[in-house]
Amino acid sequence: GPLSERRLMDVRLGELPAWLATRDISPQGLLGGVQKAWSSYYDKYINVKRGGPAGISLLLAGYCLLSYGWNYQHISKSSFLASV
Amino acid sequence: VISSVLHATRPLHTTQQCSAPLPPLPEKGGEVRHGLIPEEFFQFLYPKTGVTGPYMLGTGLLLYLLSKEIYVINHETVAAACILTVIIYGVKKFGPAVAEFADKLNEEKVGKVLAVKNEAIKDLETAIELEKKEQWRVEGRNYLFDAKRNNVAMLLEANYRERLLMVYNEVKKRLDYQVAMQNLKRQKEQDHMIEWVEKNVIRSITPQQQKDSVAKCILDLKALSKSAQAAV
């Protein structure tokens, strides 16, 4: 279908900037995007009859990666490594 | 908690209301390998790199991160390794038990709600039965009204006859009174007449006649006694 209606997973790599241009960047749009992402994740991994480890483990892994990325500057300084 | 908060801000009642029952929850969630990586990633790489592709990618990525010190090995690594070991051990050992317990809780909840629903359905069905019975009863109301009409007619008849009897009695009483009056009058007249005649007769008996009659009686008695003595 047309570029603006496709989901992220269906967009080819070359069309990514064009696709990003069609997205709604206003705060409501961003919030709506976040809500849609969360509800799709929720419906796929958490809102099931017999879930597995995937529900929270993915969230925890994402949190680990994100916090590592935020603290990379501090972690990569070798000054405190020398104190060991 | 997160899900409830985010869901609370979602706009409600946006689509048309449809009364079809909700689709049931899916049985299992999305497939995940090693508890971390969704199966879709492996399927995504399968056409180009086969089965070992994602693992090679993972190994290469790991070595790159380590060698370039993008991932720094320090005390946190050791702590993370210990924590992960404990978590994985706990999940593998107690996972099924906890899952069974949670399933049992769920079953109980669903069972309770289903019981309520079945209760309600049964109650409504008995209500329908009663209603049908009432409708059947309505057909019999003709008989009911006939019986009632008969009752009323009988009451009216009984009352009428009672009053008829009363009228008859009253009239009879009055007529009896009239008859009694006439009888009494006739009786009184008779008595009075007899008395008057007797009085006049007695008055008319002169003393001489009285003496004569007494002497005649004595003579008669003597004659009678003689004939009686002779008879004996």
Side-chain angles (χ1 to χ4, degrees), chain A residues 7-36:
Chain A
R7 304 153 59 104
L8 178 58
M9 287 294 139
D10 299 333
V11 168
R12 295 220 177 74
L13 207 56
E15 297 168 350
L16 199 55
W19 182 82
L20 275 176
T22 61
R23 289 287 99 193
D24 184 12
I25 306 292
S26 67
Q28 286 103 319
L30 282 177
L31 200 62
V34 167
Q35 269 178 1
K36 228 165 75 147

Side-chain angles (χ1 to χ4, degrees), chain B residues 156-214:
Chain B
L156 282 175
E157 186 73 24
N159 241 327
Y160 172 69
R161 292 207 184 165
E162 206 177 289
R163 291 189 190 166
L164 209 59
L165 186 69
M166 191 164 71
V167 162
Y168 163 78
N169 282 342
E170 289 292 310
V171 166
K172 185 152 180 308
K173 272 198 284 189
R174 277 157 184 59
L175 289 178
D176 282 347
Y177 169 74
Q178 293 297 330
V179 161
M181 277 285 283
Q182 281 181 356
N183 283 350
L184 182 72
K185 199 158 166 206
R186 154 88 52 89
Q187 188 78 18
K188 284 281 173 237
E189 283 175 355
Q190 233 175 355
D191 288 345
H192 185 258
M193 182 77 77
I194 291 175
E195 209 181 294
W196 188 79
V197 163
E198 278 180 3
K199 211 163 49 171
N200 277 352
V201 161
I202 289 176
R203 216 176 337 138
S204 70
I205 297 180
T206 60
Q208 181 58 37
Q209 269 180 322
Q210 206 167 357
K211 268 196 211 145
D212 283 346
S213 65
V214 168

